[in-house]
Amino acid sequence: MTVHASFPDAALEPAPLLTVSGVSRFYGERIGCADVSFDLWPGEVLGIVGESGSGKSTLLRCLAGIDKPDAGEVLFRAGPEPLDIYSVSEQERRRLMRTAWGIVHQNPRDGLRMDVTAGGNVGERLMDRGDRHYGKIRERALDWLQRVEIAGSRIDDRPRQFSGGMQQRLQIARVLVSEPRLVFMDEPTGGLDVSVQARLLDLLRVLVRDLGLAAIIVTHDLAVARLLTDRLMVMKDGHVVEQGLTDQVLDDPHHAYTQLLTSAVLSV
Amino acid sequence: MTTMIQVENVAKTFTLHNQGGTRLPVFDDVNFTVEAGEALVLAGASGAGKSSLLRILYGNYRPTSGAIRITHAGRPVDIVSAVPRTVLDIRRRTLGFVSQFLRVIPRVSALDIVRDPLLARGASQGEASDRAKAMLTRLNLPERLWNLAPATFSGGEQQRVNIARSFVDPSPIMLIDEPTASLDAANRDVVVELISEARTAGSAIVGIFHDEAVRERVATRYLDITSFRKAA
């Protein structure tokens, strides 16, 4: 058994993967997000919901190492010792971002290299990780394209020749190929047709479960949250107003704002 | 006898913040226990709070106060104060909820829906498939439907998929809300048998059944929840 063996029984996991305490980010006088604290355990999927401007994307950027919070800390456990992601060097943080976690952007153009082939986009992450065998990299890239339902024959095409839904699936393959332990997703189905969304959601649901990924998903779509997440945090004006199990928050909302959100949709 | 559920001083009031802060008291001071191998049927008029109580037992609705100790892996755990991942573990291994409605997930076949709880509990692919097929057969779901996603199924067909998923590997505690609502007599009989088999095998059952004949065949004990009704 290796040090990094996964724990099949949730009750046996020794520590959270991510410990967030008191994270705040201000833009001048304006609050981006304020005093957010939570633990995320291996295999857990957390949803952050709220309307535009509620601070959910700001929070995600702070958690994902993109935007340093003005206060608070984000501890990530890649090994036995927790790591404060903003106290390590820029270089170390970038290495973590490439290997231990992944970010799926709302706009695939922000996560893909548009001038590199589909196979190259996926293979690049493996090379970042230290893989050097060209044949094996191509083989794994091909395998991942198929897992996200992109025909292998498209491996040498560039993303700009793909539809929006395909670009998003390619971005997901690029993120997941390096086997991250934690994935951040910002409105992963935003801007896609409903039928394309359904296919992507199903794919994400299966991948998250099969790989035992921990994930943090920002969405304004409560049906997406219902389908993909275990836990939910509801944000308003930069503050977390309610959190709990996803079905608790959606079926028995306690805060006025959550009640407003859940009553504003037809059926989730 | 093993106590599987212990409800202590549970109260529930809904507060509707966007409707003038209206408070809807449902009940208070609810106390009862459920043992392994018994089937407790909740009685009381429509609107008395039977479904709310069942959802509270599942950790879906959050009570205003009180504790609900679920015997999980041999130990009592309060599902009200438990952290989310503990609640999920309790649901995965100990606590099943059977509703009248199937939550359809796009593109997932009926067979996969029924196999899912077995796989989540560590069964092999082959065993999960065999048991799922046997259960769908027993509930008379035509084989040509097994590999289709149930979005286009009739209400009764969806309900049978949901029941198959729930009873393919009965949990130590089964919470059941109107499982026979849109079933014909033959399938209703199958559901009654499935519940009785689960109970005989040691599951603790708590259920709501509007059909009187079903209720009488299933129940080993009744609880009239009107007595917990809060004076409004």
Side-chain angles (χ1 to χ4, degrees):
Chain A
M1 201 170 173
T2 63
V3 186
H4 295 290
S6 61
F7 295 85
D9 186 344
L12 295 179
E13 285 153 14
L17 193 58
L18 197 69
T19 300
V20 177
S21 19
V23 163
S24 304
R25 178 78 171 89
F26 303 99
Y27 298 103
E29 292 289 289
R30 202 164 56 77
I31 295 173
C33 61
D35 199 21
V36 178
S37 302
F38 66 91
D39 284 334
L40 185 76
W41 293 77
E44 269 189 332
V45 181
L46 170 73
I48 305 176
V49 299
E51 56 199 22
S52 316
S54 59
K56 49 194 200 309
S57 293
T58 298
L59 175 61
L60 193 79
R61 292 171 62 83
C62 288
L63 301 177
I66 301 171
D67 200 0
K68 190 177 191 307
D70 295 309
E73 61 177 18
V74 180
L75 296 181
F76 179 71
R77 280 179 189 76
E81 289 302 315
L83 210 64
D84 179 342
I85 66 165
Y86 288 105
S87 71
V88 298
S89 67
E90 174 78 18
Q91 190 187 13
E92 172 69 1
R93 185 161 66 250
R94 294 211 167 277
R95 194 191 60 80
L96 271 179
M97 288 170 73
R98 280 199 312 269
T99 56
W101 74 76
I103 302 171
V104 176
H105 298 270
Q106 174 174 3
N107 187 341
R109 286 164 184 275
D110 295 335
L112 290 173
R113 294 201 21 208
M114 301 304 284
D115 53 346
V116 170
T117 63
N121 263 287
V122 179
E124 192 176 56
R125 290 288 298 236
L126 292 170
M127 291 172 70
D128 284 344
R129 208 178 59 167
D131 293 14
R132 286 294 174 263
H133 189 287
Y134 177 79
K136 282 186 184 144
I137 290 173
R138 192 171 167 90
E139 194 181 310
R140 269 186 67 84
L142 192 63
D143 175 49
W144 265 98
L145 289 180
Q146 282 158 357
R147 286 177 81 164
V148 298
E149 304 173 4
I150 294 174
S153 60
R154 305 296 300 269
I155 190 167
D156 294 320
D157 291 348
R158 281 162 226 281
R160 63 180 85 258
Q161 294 163 275
F162 290 177
S163 68
M166 278 174 78
Q167 287 180 359
Q168 194 55 299
R169 295 202 301 278
L170 179 62
Q171 188 190 187
I172 288 164
R174 175 177 159 93
V175 168
L176 296 184
V177 68
S178 57
E179 299 173 338
R181 302 191 59 202
L182 174 60
V183 176
F184 299 95
M185 302 189 200
D186 189 1
E187 302 278 7
T189 60
L192 299 175
D193 290 340
V194 175
S195 60
V196 180
Q197 270 190 30
R199 184 175 182 190
L200 187 68
L201 283 173
D202 180 45
L203 186 70
L204 284 174
R205 195 183 58 82
V206 170
L207 289 174
V208 165
R209 195 184 106 166
D210 289 357
L211 302 174
L213 287 178
I216 298 181
I217 302 176
V218 161
T219 178
H220 67 276
D221 187 332
L222 298 184
V224 168
R226 169 86 81 178
L227 191 65
L228 292 181
T229 68
D230 303 315
R231 287 162 57 194
L232 217 51
M233 257 174 22
V234 183
M235 290 192 73
K236 181 179 184 348
D237 300 332
H239 296 269
V240 176
V241 295
E242 181 161 5
Q243 57 179 318
L245 273 176
T246 298
D247 64 276
Q248 284 175 344
V249 174
L250 294 180
D251 294 341
D252 185 14
H254 285 196
H255 191 277
Y257 179 66
T258 319
Q259 290 185 356
L260 193 65
L261 273 185
T262 54
S263 64
V265 286
L266 293 175
S267 174
V268 291
Chain B
M1 285 223 280
T2 313
T3 300
M4 296 303 289
I5 305 175
Q6 194 170 355
V7 179
E8 292 170 14
N9 307 316
V10 162
K12 178 64 177 171
T13 297
F14 290 101
T15 305
L16 309 179
H17 294 287
N18 300 300
Q19 293 174 51
T22 307
R23 290 168 54 83
L24 296 176
V26 187
F27 35 63
D28 64 359
D29 210 21
V30 179
N31 289 278
F32 65 92
T33 58
V34 188
E35 310 288 325
E38 72 169 341
L40 179 70
V41 169
L42 302 180
S46 180
K50 299 187 294 291
S51 287
S52 292
L53 181 56
L54 214 55
R55 283 167 172 265
I56 287 174
L57 296 181
Y58 191 58
N60 175 226
Y61 285 4
R62 294 168 281 187
T64 314
S65 60
I68 292 161
R69 287 178 225 294
I70 301 288
T71 302
H72 175 58
R75 271 187 298 186
V77 181
D78 178 18
I79 199 166
V80 177
S81 57
V83 297
R85 65 195 205 104
T86 302
V87 177
L88 292 176
D89 191 51
I90 291 173
R91 289 180 183 174
R92 185 164 54 242
R93 297 197 283 157
T94 300
L95 194 58
F97 193 98
V98 191
S99 76
Q100 21 182 339
F101 304 108
L102 177 68
R103 188 173 287 285
V104 178
I105 299 170
R107 302 205 311 165
V108 181
S109 74
L111 189 61
D112 281 341
I113 290 172
V114 179
R115 277 159 34 101
D116 188 58
L118 291 163
L119 295 174
R121 288 173 180 171
S124 70
Q125 294 280 345
E127 187 201 346
S129 293
D130 290 347
R131 287 174 63 182
K133 287 175 183 170
M135 187 54 72
L136 288 171
T137 304
R138 197 167 163 194
L139 282 157
N140 306 303
L141 192 81
E143 194 170 342
R144 64 189 156 77
L145 298 181
W146 292 359
N147 289 311
L148 302 179
T152 55
F153 292 9
S154 73
E157 285 163 351
Q158 290 192 2
Q159 198 175 355
R160 277 179 279 153
V161 172
N162 201 31
I163 288 165
R165 173 187 168 88
S166 304
F167 284 95
V168 72
D169 185 29
S171 302
I173 301 172
M174 302 283 281
L175 308 174
I176 306 176
D177 191 354
E178 287 292 348
T180 58
S182 52
L183 298 184
D184 60 25
N187 284 311
R188 200 161 57 222
D189 285 345
V190 176
V191 174
V192 170
E193 282 168 26
L194 288 171
I195 295 171
S196 297
E197 285 168 22
R199 186 181 63 73
T200 312
S203 290
I205 313 276
V206 183
I208 302 168
F209 307 92
H210 279 152
D211 185 322
E212 196 177 329
V214 169
R215 195 159 61 209
E216 286 182 358
R217 286 168 66 191
V218 169
T220 62
R221 188 157 66 95
Y222 288 91
L223 179 69
D224 185 348
I225 73 158
T226 316
S227 57
F228 304 125
R229 189 86 186 141
K230 206 166 182 171

